[in-house]
Each structure stands twice: as C-alpha cells, then as structure tokens.
Amino acid sequence: MGQINIFGEFEERGWFERNLKQIKIGLEGESQIRKMLSKENIRFMQADLIFNHNNQYYCGEVKTQEKYLAPPWDGHGLPMWQITARIELFNKTGIIPYLFIRCLTDNVVYHRDLRELMQTEYYQTKGSSPRVIFNLSEFKKYTLE
C-alpha cells in the first residue's frame, strides 16, 4: 500500500505509517498506566530498550538529538535524573545502564555504558532543564548507513 507525495509521485508506506493506529493505542495505554502509577505515588522510569549481550542485561536509554556544540566541547547528553535513576536500577538489579545517542548532526550513533561515562569529565548545562553533556571523544561510534 502506498500514497501519493506532494510531488505527485507514488511512495510505499513504511512500517511506522502502516502501524500508526496500533502505535497510538499503545502510547495511550502507556500514558494511562503512568498516570495511574503517579496517582499512587509509585516512582517509575521508562526503559527505551532492554537487551542481553554476552549473557548480561542492559537498560538502554535512547536519545535522538542534535550535537551539543562547544564550549566546553562538542558532546551529547541527558538529564541527571535519568542517569541517577538508571544507575540506581543497576545498583539494585545489576542491569547495566547504557546510553545510545542517534546524532542528527552527523548521522552517527554515539554509545557507551553510563557508569563509564560518569567516570569521565562532563559538563552540566544550566537553566530549567539542565543536561549532563559528555565529550564526543568518550563515546564509541557507529556510523549509520
């Protein structure tokens, strides 16, 4: 099944477009459950990705964002509360916190164990939504095709 784009050309619909109704239903259900947990004062976090590598479980935090530009350095990051919650999960369960950043600036996935990243020098932004920024040189890199 496809659709006509704004140039009058036929385009195949991808998996996301074909499943948008089910995705919306799923997101609405997740939202209702989060509201229910909040109402009951139950703390929660949403894992983006749980995976097993070399018989070890990981909790992946996935971000899709543009690169933070210097000063002090070019980098990527996330809010401290997300780091703290994932490290707390590790301390209680042994599930390793792992950060994946799909960089919109250079089409690279930057990734590394959050525990290791927290041992490096990092910068914390100011403002109403501060973020911890890690230097790009501290990440492993995977180039997207």
Side-chain angles (χ1 to χ4, degrees):
M1 184 173 202
Q3 61 189 15
I4 305 296
N5 67 20
I6 62 171
F7 304 107
E9 302 162 328
F10 182 80
E11 290 181 340
E12 285 292 326
R13 288 178 35 187
W15 179 91
F16 185 82
E17 289 82 13
R18 290 190 312 272
N19 292 283
L20 196 52
K21 184 176 180 182
Q22 278 307 117
I23 292 167
K24 183 176 186 270
I25 290 169
L27 291 173
E28 288 169 348
E30 289 177 16
S31 178
Q32 289 173 329
I33 299 303
R34 284 191 297 274
K35 286 179 186 174
M36 178 189 78
L37 293 173
S38 292
K39 187 176 179 180
E40 297 296 322
N41 294 317
I42 298 172
R43 291 179 52 211
F44 62 89
M45 69 173 168
Q46 185 165 334
D48 293 328
L49 186 66
I50 303 252
F51 62 98
N52 186 303
H53 178 67
N54 292 331
N55 210 28
Q56 177 64 57
Y57 279 95
Y58 292 78
C59 177
E61 177 62 27
V62 180
K63 300 290 185 195
T64 299
Q65 61 193 25
E66 293 184 356
K67 193 180 300 178
Y68 178 87
L69 300 176
W73 51 68
D74 290 355
H76 278 294
L78 68 166
M80 181 59 88
W81 72 265
Q82 288 184 327
I83 296 169
T84 303
R86 280 140 187 84
I87 289 177
E88 183 179 318
L89 177 69
F90 168 77
N91 290 336
K92 290 182 178 183
T93 67
I95 298 173
I96 296 169
Y98 206 88
L99 177 61
F100 293 94
I101 309 262
R102 181 176 155 246
C103 182
L104 296 172
T105 309
D106 57 13
N107 209 34
V108 168
V109 174
Y110 294 93
H111 60 99
R112 190 162 177 197
D113 182 326
L114 263 173
R115 299 169 305 161
E116 295 170 356
L117 284 169
M118 288 304 292
Q119 298 303 311
T120 69
E121 186 177 8
Y122 56 85
Y123 172 74
Q124 191 153 357
T125 64
K126 308 289 188 242
S128 60
S129 300
R131 295 175 81 78
V132 174
I133 305 297
F134 302 104
N135 192 317
L136 289 183
S137 67
E138 300 295 345
F139 286 94
K140 298 174 186 175
K141 297 171 185 73
Y142 177 86
T143 303
L144 295 170
E145 297 178 14

